[in-house]
């Protein structure tokens, strides 16, 4: 898609999109990147790829992570990211874009992403990519830790019941049989874990704009952003 003139900025900026799980961060961040002709980076995909690597190596066994093995191997792990194209992710040259969305990876990515050395490794990669500017990155700590200097920070939230309803509908479409109650419980648990981990907990940066999308459509969300960009940068 061609960049949309009405929300083009004169200079390339960094846009950080953080927030609670199932608030539509990645869809919104992707849509912004496409409208601005920017690069979209899904920071969660890096944590998921490292989790997949640890699982494939057999370093997650009996509910334990072999932290020392992972720490020693991490510098040599090659994680490739097709940032300009379809956001495909490669682990040591192999396309793992689908595998990183598996239930097993989803279950282990939270404890793994809480490890200090894992966060340090991912932060370095993300910061290197941000040097180019013209980037929209979504995650949990982009505006607080990775790019505290980002020119535009958005913090997304929605009522847990609304998020659970959206996520439940999505799962049903994919043939998953989870109940609404299970999904709501999982969302509440992830909110708690994300907010209470000692390393880079989920927080709204003081200069981030709060976007509660409980009662608005994706189109209204984009209009909200267009106004902000027009006011600040046009
Ligand atoms: O966005 P996601 O659900 O794919 O993220 C996967 C996990 O990675 C999630 O449990 C939180 C963690 N994460 C993080 O700690 N920091 C980020 N910047 C992005 C994701």
């Amino acid at each position: 898609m061609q960049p949309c003139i009405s929300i083009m900025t004169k200079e390339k900026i960094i846009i950080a999109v953080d927030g609670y799980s199932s608030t539509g961060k990645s869809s919104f961040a992707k849509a912004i990147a496409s409208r601005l002709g920017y690069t979209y980076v899904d920071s969660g995909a890096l944590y998921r790829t490292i989790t997949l690597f640890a699982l494939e190596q057999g370093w997650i066994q009996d509910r334990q992570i072999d932290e020392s093995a992972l720490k020693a191997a991490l510098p040599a792990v090659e994680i490739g990211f097709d940032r300009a194209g379809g956001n495909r992710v490669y682990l040591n040259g192999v396309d793992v874009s689908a595998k990183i969305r598996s239930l097993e990876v989803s279950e282990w990515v939270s404890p793994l992403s809480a490890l200090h050395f894992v966060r340090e490794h991912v932060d370095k990669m993300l910061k290197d990519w941000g040097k180019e500017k013209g980037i929209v990155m979504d995650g949990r700590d982009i505006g607080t830790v990775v790019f505290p200097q980002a020119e535009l920070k958005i913090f997304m939230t929605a009522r847990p019941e609304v998020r659970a309803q959206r996520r439940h509908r999505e799962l049903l479409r994919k043939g998953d049989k989870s109940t609404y109650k299970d999904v709501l419980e999982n969302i509440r648990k992830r909110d708690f874990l994300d907010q209470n981990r000692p390393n880079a907990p989920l927080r709204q940066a003081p200069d981030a704009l709060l976007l509660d999308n409980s009662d608005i459509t994706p189109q209204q969300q984009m209009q909200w952003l267009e106004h902000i960009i027009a006011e600040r940068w046009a």
Side-chain angles (χ1 to χ4, degrees):
M1 191 192 286
Q2 285 295 308
C4 171
I5 302 301
S6 71
I7 63 165
M8 256 170 67
T9 57
K10 287 193 189 103
E11 293 192 354
K12 289 200 166 187
I13 62 170
I14 295 178
I15 303 180
V17 181
D18 290 303
Y20 291 94
S21 63
S22 304
T23 46
K25 294 186 297 293
S26 58
S27 304
F28 191 36
K30 253 183 239 167
I32 300 170
S34 155
R35 294 288 295 272
L36 287 168
Y38 277 19
T39 300
Y40 163 65
V41 177
D42 169 4
S43 67
L46 297 190
Y47 290 104
R48 287 176 178 272
T49 303
I50 295 172
T51 305
L52 176 69
F53 174 71
L55 283 163
E56 286 184 345
Q57 297 301 310
W59 292 337
I60 303 180
Q61 304 267 357
D62 304 324
R63 320 278 323 148
Q64 293 281 329
I65 303 170
D66 186 340
E67 291 182 32
S68 50
L70 180 60
K71 191 173 181 177
L74 206 48
V77 176
E78 219 181 278
I79 302 176
F81 212 44
D82 174 14
R83 284 173 292 145
N87 282 296
R88 306 213 68 80
V89 190
Y90 299 85
L91 171 60
N92 293 324
V94 177
D95 185 343
V96 292
S97 316
K99 268 191 173 174
I100 60 167
R101 306 286 159 198
S102 74
L103 191 61
E104 197 181 21
V105 170
S106 301
E107 274 174 7
W108 279 101
V109 65
S110 267
L112 207 119
S113 66
L115 298 173
H116 184 68
F117 67 90
V118 172
R119 298 209 73 83
E120 248 181 12
H121 188 80
V122 171
D123 281 2
K124 195 179 167 311
M125 292 179 74
L126 298 175
K127 281 178 177 154
D128 278 351
W129 291 341
K131 282 181 191 147
E132 296 161 30
K133 295 253 181 167
I135 208 162
V136 186
M137 193 177 285
D138 78 327
R140 304 294 191 288
D141 63 340
I142 308 305
T144 49
V145 176
V146 182
F147 297 127
Q149 80 286 13
E151 288 85 351
L152 178 59
K153 299 178 189 176
I154 300 166
F155 189 85
M156 293 178 68
T157 187
R159 291 189 297 279
E161 294 77 10
V162 173
R163 289 188 274 143
Q165 221 168 40
R166 289 175 186 160
R167 180 95 187 107
H168 185 224
R169 254 187 252 133
E170 196 182 307
L171 287 169
L172 287 181
R173 268 201 303 272
K174 287 184 184 163
D176 189 296
K177 303 271 189 300
S178 313
T179 65
Y180 166 79
K181 197 167 152 273
D182 290 340
V183 176
L184 180 60
E185 211 167 279
N186 178 263
I187 279 180
R188 290 209 160 111
K189 193 166 132 198
R190 288 178 67 189
D191 285 355
F192 180 84
L193 287 173
D194 284 349
Q195 286 174 292
N196 291 288
R197 68 176 176 218
N199 289 326
L202 175 66
R203 295 263 184 282
Q204 180 182 351
D207 52 345
L209 302 167
L210 183 67
L211 170 61
D212 183 335
N213 64 15
S214 304
D215 302 305
I216 59 170
T217 63
Q219 289 76 16
Q220 287 170 320
Q221 206 168 251
M222 188 55 83
Q223 283 162 4
W224 170 85
L225 182 75
E226 282 181 19
H227 283 127
I228 289 163
I229 291 188
E231 263 172 27
R232 289 197 187 179
W233 287 285

